Amino acid sequence: MKLFGSSGIRGITNKEVTVDLALKVGLALGSTKKNAVIGRDPRIAGGMIEHALISGMVSAGCDVMRIGLVTTPTLAHAARNFDCGVMVTASHNPSEYVGIKLWNPDGMAFDSAQQEEIEEAVAAGNINNVEWNHIGNITTGSNAVREHSEMILCNVKQVHVTIMVKTAPLRVVLDCGCGAGGTITPYLLREMGCDVITLNAQPDGYFPARNPEPNDANLGLLKRAVKEFDADLGIAQDGDADRMMAVDENGIFVTGDEMLAIFAGYECKAGGTLVVPVDTSMTVDDALPDSNVVRTRVGDVYVAEEIKRTGADFGGEPSGSWIFPQVSYCPDGIYAAARLIGIVQETKLGELRRRLPQYPTKRGTVVCNNEKKGYVMDMVRSELETLGTITDIDGVRVAMDEGWLLVRPSGTEPRIRITAEARTGVDELYDVGEGIVKEALA
Ligand code: MG
């Protein structure tokens, strides 16, 4: 039974993710761990799933500390003092979703082997109920937000030594999207000396203000507010604040590829390593000619695993997940916001954007039955091999001097996704990819 996707267990409340499932996951987890810390984002079903998980864990003898409504990076930071961390969150998904994500003490999400162990225990009903006098304790912790904030402030001050002595504070519009970010980010940015104007800082599981995903289409209010208030930048987070995106001083959304190149420019040492997913723009490669850029499968957990394996300086996903390994392997949308403020104190975000090389990109899909995907991808591989350097960790990516082409089967839909980026002739390059897929299907 496959419970975990690349972002943990996630699905529609009371249909795919139920109290019964949460209880079984709690029992399975509690059978292998002595203690755990648990938190939740503001999802309507958060309390329900949290209680079921806790009942299962303590019934199997595991002590549980509750830290309440927190962001995912706050929970992952708190997990350093426990055998594991449990976050009840559906991240950037719409209101009807809920989910469970499990964390190791170093801020790394459970890997495939750890997830399979839980799946097998749940499937086998292989559960270890303990005697009445060995059930776990349930306690409440109240320091997690404070400790996470202090860790961030301490790190940011070390990087940006001048930040607290600037006379003119930066004006920042912060859109928490009614997610968990409202529990920490406004206070932290004010402690850094910023003039903070908040939007949607009240956590609300109905997400009444906007869809929780912080993409260009969902941030119209933030873009307008940055201009109206004459702010230096705008910051947006997703429902559990592991993701962060930004708007520059002109109210223009900074794309994920731009954000990745800007952070990497500050984080990566000469000769150091940067980890990004296969669909990341070559803007990143061209902006960081002295770095070794490593590409992984799409998914922040794969980026985190590769950062750990290679000892990379930095890594991220253009969706808004930024991983600073000196702080944690968990993407941290609060640390990223604080770090960006330090950067913008020195140089305006619009100026940083203008310095980056920009290339046209074209994306599209071709409908393809799931059964045919394997055959089509074999054909794609043999054709693209003749064009340049192949990377086949997630679909097939071919890199040439003038650009790159990625052909990738969708994991969830009957489609093949095609992405092309080129210095010149992006339409022709895209047509090459589409032509190969269509010919294989004919
Ligand atoms: Mg998230």
Side-chain angles (χ1 to χ4, degrees):
M1 180 172 51
K2 191 86 185 125
L3 294 175
F4 291 85
S6 63
S7 301
I9 296 170
R10 199 178 294 173
I12 307 277
T13 300
N14 272 357
K15 293 207 161 62
E16 290 151 345
V17 179
T18 61
V19 164
D20 181 53
L21 175 67
L23 182 72
K24 286 174 179 161
V25 170
L27 281 161
L29 189 64
S31 302
T32 61
K33 304 291 179 191
K34 279 203 205 58
N35 55 59
V37 58
I38 187 165
R40 60 183 165 81
D41 74 10
R43 301 272 156 188
I44 298 301
M48 175 181 87
I49 297 298
E50 182 194 3
H51 280 83
L53 281 162
I54 294 173
S55 294
M57 286 191 283
V58 296
S59 166
C62 175
D63 293 331
V64 181
M65 179 182 276
R66 305 177 63 200
I67 60 170
L69 175 52
V70 291
T71 69
T72 291
T74 302
L75 184 280
H77 183 64
R80 75 197 183 286
N81 298 322
F82 294 84
D83 283 350
C84 75
V86 182
M87 184 69 189
V88 181
T89 176
S91 191
H92 56 277
N93 282 50
S95 312
E96 61 270 29
Y97 283 79
V98 71
I100 304 164
K101 196 159 177 180
L102 304 176
W103 297 91
N104 288 298
D106 64 356
M108 183 72 77
F110 268 32
D111 65 20
S112 331
Q114 290 176 299
Q115 293 179 352
E116 274 165 29
E117 192 184 352
I118 302 289
E119 280 167 354
E120 280 165 19
V122 169
N126 182 9
I127 302 304
N128 202 4
N129 273 320
V130 296
E131 295 289 326
W132 68 272
N133 54 352
H134 286 91
I135 64 168
N137 288 314
I138 304 171
T139 54
T140 304
S142 55
N143 293 329
V145 173
R146 186 70 257 157
E147 288 171 4
H148 185 208
S149 289
E150 280 170 3
M151 178 278 286
I152 293 172
L153 277 173
C154 177
N155 274 280
V156 170
K157 276 187 206 166
Q158 279 175 7
V159 182
H160 301 282
V161 283
T162 58
I163 193 163
M164 308 303 265
V165 298
K166 290 268 176 178
T167 46
L170 279 190
R171 176 171 286 182
V172 183
V173 184
L174 170 67
D175 180 355
C176 300
C178 297
T183 61
I184 178 168
T185 324
Y187 311 101
L188 179 83
L189 300 193
R190 286 186 184 119
E191 274 191 65
M192 288 177 67
C194 297
D195 172 12
V196 182
I197 296 160
T198 55
L199 303 174
N200 313 313
Q202 77 289 9
D204 183 334
Y206 288 101
F207 298 105
R210 64 164 168 88
N211 182 296
E213 187 164 9
N215 59 23
D216 196 9
N218 293 334
L219 299 181
L221 180 63
L222 177 64
K223 290 187 278 189
R224 285 202 303 282
V226 166
K227 288 176 80 172
E228 286 291 321
F229 291 110
D230 198 21
D232 295 291
L233 82 156
I235 285 173
Q237 293 170 325
D238 76 332
D240 60 334
D242 59 342
R243 289 192 188 183
M244 183 228 74
M245 294 299 273
V247 168
D248 77 5
E249 69 278 9
N250 304 307
I252 296 171
F253 179 76
V254 183
T255 69
D257 290 311
E258 291 170 340
M259 204 68 245
L260 184 46
I262 290 168
F263 275 134
Y266 284 83
E267 294 294 327
C268 292
K269 300 168 207 72
T273 299
L274 166 66
V275 181
V276 301
V278 283
D279 58 352
T280 303
S281 166
M282 63 186 179
T283 294
V284 172
D285 306 70
D286 287 5
L288 293 144
D290 299 328
S291 293
N292 170 32
V293 182
V294 175
R295 284 185 158 75
T296 69
R297 291 175 65 189
V298 175
D300 60 49
V301 63
Y302 305 116
V303 174
E305 283 174 4
E306 192 65 10
I307 291 174
K308 188 174 180 179
R309 198 183 69 76
T310 58
D313 294 326
F314 177 72
E317 260 212 327
S319 59
S321 304
W322 318 119
I323 302 170
F324 302 85
Q326 78 277 20
V327 172
S328 175
Y329 292 113
C330 173
D332 189 332
I334 303 105
Y335 181 81
R339 191 74 177 78
L340 184 62
I341 280 161
I343 292 170
V344 173
Q345 289 272 22
E346 292 155 9
T347 314
K348 283 190 178 295
L349 196 46
E351 171 58 26
L352 292 167
R353 284 184 58 235
R354 277 189 293 278
R355 288 181 194 170
L356 294 171
Q358 299 280 0
Y359 308 111
T361 302
K362 185 167 179 182
R363 291 189 163 85
T365 64
V366 176
V367 174
C368 173
N369 288 340
N370 288 338
E371 308 81 66
K372 284 191 180 163
K373 281 177 179 172
Y375 170 74
V376 171
M377 289 311 298
D378 285 345
M379 295 295 286
V380 166
R381 192 181 201 293
S382 65
E383 293 284 336
L384 294 187
E385 261 173 357
T386 61
L387 300 180
T389 315
I390 292 279
T391 311
D392 60 358
I393 35 177
D394 196 354
V396 179
R397 181 185 191 276
V398 59
M400 293 148 283
D401 289 341
E402 281 310 297
W404 57 274
L405 180 65
L406 173 68
V407 181
R408 196 167 80 88
S410 165
T412 51
E413 294 173 73
R415 288 174 188 281
I416 303 266
R417 299 186 188 284
I418 302 166
T419 310
E421 185 183 34
R423 290 172 228 280
T424 55
V426 71
D427 290 325
E428 290 81 353
L429 185 58
Y430 179 87
D431 289 346
V432 169
E434 192 184 65
I436 295 170
V437 173
K438 286 189 169 164
E439 198 173 311
L441 280 167

